[in-house]
């Protein structure tokens, strides 16, 4: 329960508040993901959630506890949570035909301790049928008491690593990631370092959740993945990040940031592919894969706004990390420059480009008999 | 579970952040209260807490759930909570002599949704033996699922009313409180209006907690009370508030605030006396009074700092309400003026004055068999 928060170059929360650069205003791509998975979650709950398992666990009261991990400030998390509750109520209704009163719902919104929870509370739906809690801390460690959760949800968060792998910013290591700020997938040693970090982080994550989720409880995880055989460098996210890197390099040449600073900068996220994720779950051993599905999430916006969309989303997601590494001064300049380069550049993205990202939707069930 | 937060003239959170005017920096009086009650809480837990009652409640896991209601931003709440946990662990150790593993502790920090929870999370003790939650919303309504809490604590918060009683700011009512901004206790109709509001608020509070606390669970409440026969007007708090009122009046004469604004301003707090509180608990019927004690809390500071202490505490507690009613502009001016008047004025407080306040310490146990 101690804070082992990564402070240096670890994953940082999205931009807080409700201003023009905030996550709350710049998360339409993630919102689309929540909408896309609405039906999938409904089906998973109707088909896979064993109610008797959960509510007859011996305690006199029947509270149903739901956690959303990596919730940011809203509003997406509120849609996700309401969707889960609606599906459970429907299932209750179908199963017990009114012979059993609905459980009370207790919802736990988790993110890093320095996430802007004040804004989350401000944006909470005023009329809601659940008890609200915010839980600060990294989901790579324990956050909840033993066997206290029935349903865990996490959307667009698990691809953030707990830290940048040491080797990739070590100029003496064969895994030194010179010439990039992400795991492009083109250099084996760099790929291995990132992949190891993701494997370790996921192992910690699953082991912590295994303690916290009751036997029979469900966990729905949604995060971006790479299509088979496609390296990150070829995806839209990869290309946007490479463009960001070239902007940083240009600013270094202009003397606005130090070249060493650019060389030692890496962004701690990693997109696995579906098989890699399944291997991790099986090796961990506490959960059964109940369902797994890959799908494309088409951007909801029209194409003339796309460049603005890319910049604003990239900024909402990376501004914290950039500030931490380079200082506050550079941020405005960097993203203005990025936006300009994006507009000028016909090569990176075609005119009809829409940022399609492939997502993995995976439903895990906590095995009942091994703690 | 809906937000029925009082927005107009209801109780407002203390000043957030960690700056010179913040509650975090200006709560030494409340800190003293937490320290004073440390031993009392230890004894209450050792003598009155039925462990078997609580941990054998049928569920397989043994999580002990503690809530601090009206926690503000810290640090006092962290001391209070740690003290409770230490006492429970001691009791466990004495009772089971190591034959039963300690429970896991889950702590719920509650305050209004617009309390500065970001600061609370920032100030959290880095190494702590409990799982942390923030719970937004008014403690006059439901905040937790049924039978989910084992121990509730609330210090220096219950004297805040959910709203200013309507009559006292209605110039057509016999209870119109012209000539004061608090319940001085000198006008029967005003006293009745405030007392009614307190009774209603406490009834809501106790009924909500009765749902949430397991049979046998404890609730420790600490708040300022009036010594028998002493009206608020004669207490140090009463005098400080009267001085604040005279400052507001002076600012009205100078044209800096509107006189009507001053006339329609009342601060929604009320100090009951001990018998009144016991009557409320008995009428409500869900709890047994296990212990009740009145005591004086001597201010920890030396007397030359007292004037500064009065001003800064008064400001940390009332700035929110004043801003809401009069607008941001007046705050700085008002408290500078207050500080000056306090320094000039030999009549209000004597030179050796230390702000002694009488507190009620009351331990309630949830009756076991009537839900
Ligand atoms: C892109 S946002 C997704 C927010 C929300 N789930 C949505 O779909 O809109 C990713 C969030 O994950 C959080 N996050 C990343 N790593 C985390 C960790 N180890 N523990 C808790 N939260 C984490 C970030 O702080 C950020 O708020
Ligand atoms: C003087 S502070 C005490 C804080 C802390 N308990 C301590 O001892 O330092 C009073 C707190 O009670 C909170 N409060 C007042 N009315 C409340 C209500 N109805 N629900 C929740 N919190 C409330 C205020 O927002 C404020 O933070």
């Amino acid at each position: 329960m101690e804070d082992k928060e990564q402070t240096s170059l670890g994953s940082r929360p999205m931009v807080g508040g409700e201003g023009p650069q905030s996550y709350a205003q710049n998360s339409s791509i993630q919102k689309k993901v929540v909408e896309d998975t609405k039906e999938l979650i409904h089906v998973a709950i109707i088909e896979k959630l064993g109610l008797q398992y959960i509510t007859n666990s011996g305690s006199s009261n029947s509270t149903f506890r739901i956690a959303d991990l990596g919730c940011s400030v809203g509003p997406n998390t509120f849609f996700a949570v309401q969707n889960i509750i609606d599906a459970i109520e429907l299932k209750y209704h179908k199963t017990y035909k009114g012979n059993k009163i609905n459980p009370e719902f207790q919802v736990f919104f988790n993110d890093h301790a320095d996430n802007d929870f004040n804004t989350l509370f401000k944006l909470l739906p005023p009329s809601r049928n659940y008890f609200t809690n915010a839980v600060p801390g990294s989901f790579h460690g324990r956050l909840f008491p033993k066997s206290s959760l029935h349903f865990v949800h996490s959307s667009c968060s698990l691809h953030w690593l707990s830290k940048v792998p040491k080797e990739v910013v070590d100029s003496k290591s064969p895994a030194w990631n010179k010439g990039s700020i992400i795991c492009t997938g083109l250099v084996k040693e760099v790929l291995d370092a990132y992949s190891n970090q993701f494997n370790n982080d996921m192992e910690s994550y699953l082991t912590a959740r295994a303690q916290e989720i009751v036997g029979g409880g469900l966990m729905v995880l949604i995060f971006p993945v790479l299509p088979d055989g496609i390296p990150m460098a070829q995806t839209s996210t990869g290309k946007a990040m490479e463009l960001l890197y070239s902007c940083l390099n240009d600013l270094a040449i202009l003397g606005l940031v130090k070249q060493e600073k650019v060389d030692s900068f890496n962004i701690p996220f990693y997109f696995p592919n579906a098989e890699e994720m399944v291997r991790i779950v099986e090796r961990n051993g506490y959960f059964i894969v109940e369902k797994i599905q890959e799908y494309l999430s088409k951007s909801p916006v029209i194409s003339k706004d796309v460049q603005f969309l890319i910049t604003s989303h990239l900024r909402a997601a990376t501004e914290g990390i950039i500030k931490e590494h380079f200082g506050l001064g550079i941020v405005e300049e960097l993203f203005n420059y990025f936006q300009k380069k994006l507009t000028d550049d016909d090569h990176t993205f075609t005119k009809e480009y829409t940022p399609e990202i492939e997502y993995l939707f995976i439903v895990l069930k906590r095995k009942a008999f091994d703690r």
Side-chain angles (χ1 to χ4, degrees), chain A residues 121-365:
Chain A
F121 286 163
K122 197 166 157 195
L123 298 178
L124 273 169
S127 154
R128 51 192 189 276
N129 58 348
Y130 53 85
F131 296 107
T132 306
N133 299 262
V135 179
S138 169
F139 52 51
H140 293 120
R142 285 286 301 280
L143 296 166
F144 304 95
K146 286 202 192 90
S147 302
S148 66
L149 296 177
H150 303 102
F151 197 102
V152 169
H153 176 267
S154 182
S155 184
C156 297
S157 302
L158 277 174
H159 55 297
W160 287 99
L161 303 175
S162 66
K163 57 172 186 267
V164 173
K166 266 200 307 297
E167 315 87 283
V168 305
V169 287
D170 174 2
S171 64
K172 287 177 204 76
S173 163
W176 187 30
N177 195 19
K178 185 163 168 53
S180 183
I181 54 173
I182 56 160
C183 177
T184 59
L186 304 177
V187 183
K188 184 175 180 318
E189 289 82 0
V190 175
L191 184 61
D192 287 348
Y194 268 92
S195 167
N196 276 342
Q197 187 63 50
F198 181 76
N199 273 258
N200 290 341
D201 284 346
M202 275 308 303
E203 171 64 22
S204 309
Y205 176 91
L206 292 171
T207 302
R209 295 303 83 71
Q211 309 296 309
E212 298 164 355
I213 299 177
V214 299
L218 294 186
M219 175 150 70
V220 169
L221 307 178
I222 303 146
F223 51 88
V225 284
L226 293 176
D228 250 356
I230 305 289
M232 176 68 97
Q234 281 174 29
T235 66
S236 53
T237 306
K239 287 179 187 169
M241 290 294 175
E242 292 285 79
L243 191 64
L244 187 68
Y245 174 62
S246 85
C247 294
L248 284 167
N249 262 334
D250 290 351
L251 296 191
I253 290 165
L254 292 172
L256 295 173
V257 294
K258 292 221 174 82
Q259 186 64 46
E260 305 92 82
K261 272 277 170 198
V262 178
D263 291 343
S264 65
F265 183 59
N266 262 243
I267 298 182
F269 71 69
Y270 175 78
F271 293 3
N273 62 36
E275 293 83 70
E276 188 172 7
M277 185 60 192
V278 172
R279 271 201 308 279
I280 294 172
V281 173
E282 288 175 350
R283 193 172 349 108
N284 172 266
Y286 288 113
F287 294 90
I288 293 162
V289 179
E290 288 282 0
K291 183 166 182 114
I292 185 156
Q293 181 162 340
E294 284 169 79
Y295 70 98
L296 278 180
S297 179
K298 285 232 171 66
S299 165
V301 294
I302 46 165
S303 60
K304 78 185 168 82
D305 289 333
V306 163
Q307 282 155 347
F308 176 72
L309 183 85
I310 296 173
T311 310
S312 61
H313 274 68
L314 192 77
R315 178 167 181 169
T318 60
E319 179 174 321
I321 274 175
I322 289 173
K323 262 188 205 161
E324 196 172 300
H325 189 80
F326 294 102
L328 182 63
I330 177 193
V331 173
E332 202 60 39
E333 185 97 29
L334 177 63
F335 286 102
N336 286 341
Y337 187 59
F338 178 88
Q339 170 84 60
K340 188 175 169 310
K341 254 193 136 160
L342 193 64
T343 316
D344 295 350
D345 187 348
D346 274 356
H347 302 294
T348 311
F349 306 104
T350 66
K351 282 230 170 61
E352 318 79 52
Y353 167 83
T354 48
E356 289 179 5
I357 305 178
E358 192 150 336
Y359 286 91
L360 189 70
F361 174 86
I362 182 165
V363 181
L364 304 179
K365 182 180 269 184

Side-chain angles (χ1 to χ4, degrees), chain A residues 5 10-15 23 26-31 33-34 68-77 80 110-116 135-141 143 153-162 201 205 209 222 268 316-317:
Chain A
E5 293 280 288
S11 54
R12 296 263 54 80
M14 308 293 101
V15 175
Y23 185 77
N26 293 288
S27 49
S28 58
I29 291 178
Q30 291 88 344
K31 173 160 188 251
V33 172
V34 167
D68 187 32
L69 307 184
C71 63
S72 193
V73 299
N76 299 344
T77 184
N110 157 260
D111 209 296
H112 285 299
D114 56 354
N115 181 53
D116 185 357
V135 179
S138 169
F139 52 51
H140 293 120
L143 296 166
H153 176 267
S154 182
S155 184
C156 297
S157 302
L158 277 174
H159 55 297
W160 287 99
L161 303 175
S162 66
D201 284 346
Y205 176 91
R209 295 303 83 71
I222 303 146

